[in-house]
Amino acid sequence: MSISSPVAFTNNPDELFVKKHVKYIQSLDTRKDEFEYWLTEHLRLNGVYWGLTALHLLNDPTALPRDETINFVKSCQHPSGGFGAHPDHDAHLLYTLSAIQILAMVDALDAVDTAATVTYVAGLQKPSGVFAGDEWGEEDTRFVYTGLQTLKILDRLDAVDVEKAVGFVLACQNYDGGFGVVPGAESHSGQIFTCLGVLSLTNSLDRLSTASRDQLAGWLAQRQLPNGGLNGRPEKLEDVCYSWWVLSSLAMLGKLHWIDQNKLVGWILSCQDEVRGGFADRKGNAVDVFHTVFALCGLSLVGWGGLKEVDPVYCMPVETTKRLFGSK
Amino acid sequence: MASHGVPRSSTTVRTPQAIQADLLKIEAYNNLVSEVQALRFPSVQKSKHTYSPTSLSTTSSLLTQNPEFNTIWNFRRRIVLHLLLPTSSSSPTLKDDNDQENDKLSLLSSELNFLFPLLQKFPKCYWIWNYRVFILQTASTNLSLQTALKLWKSEMGLVNKMLSRDSRNFHGWGYRRYIVQNIETLQKDINKETTKEKEEGEGEEGVDGEEEEESLAEQEFAYTTTMYGKDLSNFSAWHNRSKLIPRVLSERGATIEERRTFLDGELGEMQTAVYTDPYDQSIQLYNHWLLLESCSSKQTTSTSPVFSLTNSQKLETLSRTLEWMRELLDEEPDCRLLLEEMIFVGSLFRDLDETEEEEDVDREEIKRDMQSWLEKLMEVDPMRGGRWREMQEKL
Ligand SMILES: [Zn+2]
């Protein structure tokens, strides 16, 4: 993983409101008198992962109580081994990865039946190499990433056909260097992140030619708009979450220096709610934990002082991935 | 928890009345959730109600309020599958096949109708699209091929409507390709059956109708023309066009010469389009594809090339392209996209073998030009300076 050296932010007077962001994340589970809280139950487990990752990067990993976190994750596991977003919700790969990431971060993987999880994930791989999100069979390059990362954390990549999974991802590459949801689909930054993630965590990035990697990095660099923010596709608006998909992808390709990091930092910081904490998709909009974690990941990736280092492949603190996989 | 485009409210505290109103809303919502969850996990004596039409309508109320609740969509799938079973018929006498088919069709059609307003209201919700696909797939496996085909075909109307409202909707374009694929597969199966029946001589003539064209490639290709005609800046349309062209040309049985004519036509369109808006990335990316596919020095070994140009035809195409780009650059000297594309064309040119007819082309001159375009790029596009510097070192 080549990440270029941190930039100096001397000409950037903006401030990161660390304490407010910690408080904001802590407040998320106390908002039961807000309708939104109940409407988003289907994201609860992901929310814990987003919040916890943010707190780790903010250097305050114990701001959420560890035991409660572990117990909640346990309560979401199904006999099949998969996880739902909340007790009484169906299992899906998206939640299963979040569950395993949370446990990896708090070093408690033995709290759940991980052997069953391996069986669950392996059972979702299709003959083409792609993974279905759940028993109902939606196929998407996102699920190849979520499936493989789960198994990689559990050190059980051997449970699936990695070569076929990589082959499927490669078949989703377009002439512009980017990747889509399935073969033939338009390139999209979110999908590029997951596909490069698959290639990185299986050590197969070199399956892309130098020319196609440069083409892709060029496409990604084009995502930066004059205000410094990044969009997800040509001719779309900038968005904090896309900043992460684009930035982590550039990091995986070793081309972070192909965009203006100073300008990006200034733009991300402008999306903070400096009164109540948290980040929004764009300046002036309502904040949420999803954009908060991806804003912090982005800042961390370009070396913002005081933040813990994030791993662009796994979207977890480098401390965690080092503990799991050793230093590369 | 993951909101897009929601303005931040200026007030930090809600009024007591507002909190009270929210609490009432929450209570009503949670009662509904409990009701549905009780149906999903029934006590033994009530279990026969789990998969009933009443359950279906209870989930409708909940999903209309919260279509992101994917677990409830899954429950709805189970109800529908259960209602499609022949044993679920209340009358003990077996209905005839036709009635059964009609019952199934009306159930599946009413599911599709239920989804339509939801998709209009929440066009970016993955779970609604997934559920819709599930209903259509269920139609394919539960109804006759002809009836299923009708359902799939009427989806084209929906997707046209979605894409005319938001011509870049990611789900919309993906859904469109998926629908097309399924219509083609079903039509192929129907044609196979018709042929078989004819061969077996069971020909009650005209019963199953004529065989229809299996491929929709031409129709879809024409659709991309319509879409970029409305808005040149529609990358989704250009993308789809690039994916369709290889199929269209091979289905037309195009000769090498016809392919070249086709290419010239597309490149001509691009010249006009780039002149219209040299700052548009969508157009540049499609132009990029055309040139990469036709003028690259590397021959694709695995698949047959879409445009088989000779080396000198490639050189000619590239210098023609550079010529008009140079003219445009005189008018738009600061256009970074144009500069980038010219460097790309220049490098394609320099990768090709030299030919004998190539007297008036000076490779050194192109190299010098590329250096000056890079200098210019570093000046007008400092944001991506890291990239341009790296290119300069490699040149
Ligand atoms: Zn976003």
Side-chain angles (χ1 to χ4, degrees), chain B residues 247-261:
Chain B
R247 256 188 82 188
V248 165
L249 289 177
S250 86
E251 285 175 15
R252 286 180 188 172
T255 61
I256 288 180
E257 196 49 41
E258 283 163 345
R259 284 166 189 262
R260 208 159 64 88
T261 313

Side-chain angles (χ1 to χ4, degrees), chain A residues 239-242 245 280-281 290-291, chain B residues 3-4:
Chain A
D239 183 327
V240 161
C241 64
Y242 288 117
W245 316 130
D281 59 343
F290 174 81
H291 288 98
Chain B
S3 58
H4 284 105

Side-chain angles (χ1 to χ4, degrees), chain B residues 55-97:
Chain B
S55 296
L56 202 64
S57 76
T58 315
T59 66
S60 300
S61 314
L62 181 50
L63 289 167
T64 309
Q65 273 196 63
N66 188 4
E68 295 282 357
F69 204 154
N70 65 318
T71 300
I72 307 305
W73 285 115
N74 295 344
F75 179 43
R76 198 173 172 97
R77 286 177 165 97
R78 292 195 175 88
I79 301 174
V80 167
L81 289 178
H82 191 88
L83 293 176
L84 285 171
L85 296 174
T87 45
S88 74
S89 162
S90 53
S91 101
T93 53
L94 275 174
K95 291 181 171 184
D96 71 39
D97 284 357

Side-chain angles (χ1 to χ4, degrees), chain A residues 92-229:
Chain A
H92 194 286
L93 269 185
L94 290 172
Y95 311 125
T96 303
L97 173 61
S98 282
I100 296 303
Q101 285 177 312
I102 293 165
L103 296 177
M105 280 190 279
V106 301
D107 198 7
L109 282 167
D110 52 1
V112 295
D113 184 353
T114 53
T117 305
V118 171
T119 311
Y120 173 77
V121 175
L124 291 171
Q125 191 178 30
K126 301 288 148 190
S128 67
V130 72
F131 284 71
D134 64 10
E135 62 186 291
W136 299 103
E138 186 201 355
E139 297 173 358
D140 185 324
T141 40
R142 283 184 303 158
F143 306 142
V144 183
Y145 173 75
T146 39
L148 289 187
Q149 181 178 167
T150 307
L151 294 176
K152 173 98 177 193
I153 295 173
L154 300 176
D155 198 18
R156 283 302 312 276
L157 276 180
D158 63 288
V160 290
D161 192 330
V162 171
E163 178 51 34
K164 271 196 166 171
V166 169
F168 182 85
V169 161
L170 293 173
C172 294
Q173 193 177 29
N174 292 316
Y175 70 90
D176 54 24
F179 296 83
V181 176
V182 288
E186 182 183 338
S187 298
H188 183 291
S189 308
Q191 246 66 41
I192 292 170
F193 163 75
T194 58
C195 289
L196 287 179
V198 166
L199 298 178
S200 299
L201 69 81
T202 57
N203 299 315
S204 23
L205 260 185
D206 57 4
R207 299 277 291 272
L208 302 177
S209 67
T210 314
S212 90
R213 270 184 279 174
D214 282 358
Q215 170 76 39
L216 173 54
W219 188 91
L220 290 163
Q222 293 287 10
R223 306 279 61 77
Q224 189 165 40
L225 300 176
N227 65 8

